[in-house]
Amino acid sequence: MTPKDVLKFMKEKNARMVDFKFLDFVGIWQHFSVPVSELSEDLFEEGLGFDGSSIRGWQPIHASDMLVIPDPSTAVMDPFPETPTMSLICNIVDPITKEAYTRDPRNIAQKAEAYLKSTGIGDTAYFGPEPEFFIFDDIRYSQGPDHGFYYIDSIEGTWNTGREEGPNLGYKPRHKEGYFPVPPTDSQEDIRTEMCLVMEQVGIQIERQHHEVATAGQAEIDMRFDSLLKMGDKLMWFKYIVKNVAKKWRKTVTFMPKPIFGDNGSGMHVHQSIWKGGKPLFAGNKYGGMSELALYYIGGILKHARALNAFCNPGTNSYRRLVPGFEAPINLAYSSRNRSASIRIPMYSPSPKTKRIEVRFPDPSCNGYLAFAAMLMAGLDGIQNKIDPGEPLDKDIYGLSPEELSKVPSAAGSLEEALAALKKDHEFLLKGDVFTKDVIETWLEYKKEKEADPVRLRPVPHEFALYFDC
């Protein structure tokens, strides 16, 4: 759409408000709304001012003024406000230089797409994330100097088989047995379907939805792949819609990777491929039906995986999921079909158009724009430097002997390890000015001071069970 098209669309839909959405540095949508009378064609160039110092990881207070510039191609009707409201996703611009803001995640995604084209390797990078999430009925948590707890509840929680529910009807998925059961064990068919239908209203093509492995309402909804920037936008709509539909049902959703002890965490496997001139570049006659270029791309992902963890697994809780000895894809290897490898080559179809890789270690707490851009930059580095991914690992990794397993490198084991890896290994991200030094330094500083250190300094409940009587 052009700005003129947006104004026409707004009138056709009888919109009365316009909502401007943009992303903070960490990955949460922010917004403000204006009456439709305030939206003009000029605003798509001039933007609207706001306080950048109030956004996490952004401007200092002495240089706080920033501009939001709405992207006309993102205009849709927001499905949730009672008053008809048109939504626009925005880019962030410095009001003095008029340059795109380096810490705006959407800007980083746009620069990654431009860099791909500048290399001549390809013109489009496609991404297809598979976000998993939990739908809970109740969540309570608190931390203070004298206490610390969290309490989760779900009608599907296997721990509730003995609860008085007037009546309790059973049908609660056991731990690790929630994959694909039909109703009534799967109690969330209707809510997931509503989520899918609302997503379609904003232009997201849905491929499937289903219950996931864990008890207590773990779910997955799969979107059809799209280009990097568009999929970054769609992932934000995805989270927004899932949370708001759940609220309508008096439920709550979390994309926290590991909210439940003793059951599967939530991952976000990310399918990706590169195309040029409408032709897929990952298909070939090498291992798994892949091209040499695709194998080099895999080599880049594996080489930089521990640094990528800082963006793809960006929270301390991410590493409650990425634990050795369980089903988490921490082992940095690739394979066809083998889901115990951190990179899988799906073998569902022989068509060249379906040839892609599936990176399995990311989780849905990530900022999609940053994670997708970082993976693309790692893969391109692999192609440019012809990084050999080594031999594929077609054995069951969890069945390997300790000696065999010691030869397989692993992902970072904590947020601190991931940040240390990123500090040492980020030159590949700086190519084309996609990620700037300022972005890397701010990410490292924010994650350490606001997340890693605060968690490290606080006792957790289980430590009292372990050490109170010492």
Side-chain angles (χ1 to χ4, degrees):
M1 285 193 198
T2 65
K4 186 172 290 186
D5 293 331
V6 172
L7 297 180
K8 182 180 178 182
F9 174 78
M10 181 177 69
K11 291 179 180 178
E12 290 174 349
K13 297 296 183 179
N14 296 314
R16 297 180 62 188
M17 296 293 290
V18 181
D19 195 53
F20 297 92
K21 294 180 173 69
F22 62 96
L23 198 69
D24 71 7
F25 194 47
V26 180
I28 304 296
W29 247 356
Q30 313 295 306
H31 84 124
F32 62 91
S33 303
V34 302
V36 294
S37 59
E38 293 295 305
L39 187 65
S40 65
E41 288 189 55
D42 291 341
L43 193 144
F44 288 89
E45 291 187 9
E46 297 173 359
L48 287 170
F50 73 102
D51 175 11
S53 68
S54 296
I55 305 300
R56 294 186 298 175
W58 278 13
Q59 290 294 88
I61 196 167
H62 64 273
S64 61
D65 288 353
M66 302 295 290
L67 292 174
V68 294
I69 306 290
D71 181 343
S73 71
T74 65
V76 294
M77 294 300 291
D78 191 315
F80 297 105
E82 290 186 15
T83 300
T85 299
M86 184 180 70
S87 174
L88 290 162
I89 300 176
C90 302
N91 297 314
I92 309 302
V93 169
D94 185 289
I96 305 301
T97 66
K98 302 298 183 182
E99 293 180 352
Y101 186 42
T102 56
R103 296 185 202 172
D104 175 13
R106 200 166 189 267
N107 176 35
I108 293 170
Q110 290 169 320
K111 289 191 291 184
E113 289 190 319
Y115 178 70
L116 168 62
K117 293 178 182 178
S118 75
T119 65
I121 292 170
D123 52 41
T124 308
Y126 286 116
F127 286 81
E130 299 176 342
E132 297 170 346
F133 53 94
F134 279 90
I135 305 172
F136 293 143
D137 291 286
D138 190 38
I139 175 69
R140 290 181 280 129
Y141 53 88
S142 181
Q143 178 87 52
D146 62 330
H147 72 280
F149 75 89
Y150 65 88
Y151 177 82
I152 295 166
D153 203 13
S154 166
I155 191 68
E156 283 195 359
T158 191
W159 55 80
N160 282 326
T161 55
R163 183 173 66 175
E164 287 284 348
E165 294 182 351
N168 188 325
L169 301 179
Y171 298 116
K172 304 179 191 300
R174 290 176 284 272
H175 284 300
K176 299 182 182 296
E177 295 186 23
Y179 195 62
F180 282 19
V182 297
T185 301
D186 176 4
S187 69
Q188 297 177 344
E189 170 73 12
D190 291 334
I191 185 173
R192 293 195 309 270
T193 293
E194 182 172 337
M195 291 169 178
C196 293
L197 296 178
V198 176
M199 287 182 201
E200 289 183 336
Q201 291 178 32
V202 301
I204 299 175
Q205 185 174 349
I206 299 301
E207 292 187 334
R208 71 197 65 181
Q209 58 93 341
H210 60 84
H211 203 288
E212 256 298 338
V213 173
T215 189
Q218 192 180 34
E220 178 175 317
I221 298 175
D222 297 337
M223 298 175 280
R224 186 169 179 79
F225 66 89
D226 209 334
S227 58
L228 191 157
L229 179 66
K230 290 181 179 179
M231 184 50 73
D233 291 343
K234 287 180 178 180
L235 183 59
M236 295 313 301
W237 272 112
F238 183 103
K239 291 184 175 183
Y240 178 73
I241 289 169
V242 163
K243 291 176 181 178
N244 279 283
V245 170
K247 184 174 181 289
K248 175 185 169 184
W249 286 65
R250 297 184 61 79
K251 295 179 183 289
T252 188
V253 159
T254 183
F255 290 91
M256 186 176 174
K258 188 70 173 179
I260 295 178
F261 168 68
D263 213 332
N264 285 37
S266 293
M268 186 178 76
H269 307 149
V270 182
H271 297 256
Q272 46 202 281
S273 63
I274 295 177
W275 290 50
K276 186 175 184 179
K279 295 182 179 180
L281 301 184
F282 275 17
N285 57 7
K286 301 294 184 180
Y287 174 82
M290 304 297 279
S291 65
E292 186 174 56
L293 179 141
L295 293 179
Y296 288 148
Y297 188 98
I298 290 172
I301 296 285
L302 294 176
K303 177 181 177 180
H304 300 298
R306 290 173 67 86
L308 291 176
N309 287 144
F311 290 111
C312 297
N313 310 93
T316 58
N317 185 257
S318 296
Y319 301 89
R320 312 295 188 208
R321 166 181 170 257
L322 295 179
V323 177
F326 294 89
E327 294 183 13
I330 66 160
N331 298 290
L332 301 178
Y334 73 101
S335 176
S336 63
R337 305 181 69 182
N338 189 347
R339 295 175 191 272
S340 63
S342 61
I343 297 181
R344 184 175 73 95
I345 301 171
M347 302 297 288
Y348 296 125
S349 169
S351 170
K353 292 183 177 181
T354 65
K355 281 302 172 186
R356 61 195 189 276
I357 69 166
E358 178 191 40
V359 182
R360 295 176 62 80
F361 55 76
D363 69 58
S365 70
C366 73
N367 180 329
Y369 299 103
L370 299 184
F372 301 157
M375 285 187 281
L376 175 62
M377 295 301 288
L380 292 177
D381 186 63
I383 293 170
Q384 291 165 330
N385 292 292
K386 298 184 177 180
I387 298 174
D388 186 349
E391 293 298 316
L393 188 59
D394 290 330
K395 298 179 181 179
D396 178 3
I397 291 176
Y398 306 110
L400 296 179
S401 67
E403 182 181 353
E404 290 176 304
L405 193 58
S406 68
K407 299 175 183 178
V408 182
S410 62
S414 67
L415 180 58
E416 290 90 339
E417 283 187 24
L419 297 176
L422 178 63
K423 188 173 183 178
K424 291 180 180 179
D425 178 24
H426 60 258
E427 290 298 320
F428 70 99
L429 296 171
L430 303 179
K431 295 178 181 178
D433 201 37
V434 175
F435 287 77
T436 62
K437 284 188 177 293
D438 172 64
V439 166
I440 301 297
E441 290 169 0
T442 304
W443 189 261
L444 291 171
E445 179 182 358
Y446 183 92
K447 286 290 173 177
K448 179 180 184 300
E449 293 184 0
K450 301 295 185 181
E451 298 181 26
D453 285 353
V455 170
R456 183 170 58 85
L457 291 170
R458 285 163 171 77
V460 299
H462 192 60
E463 287 178 313
F464 285 82
L466 291 173
Y467 307 123
F468 186 77
D469 61 349
C470 63

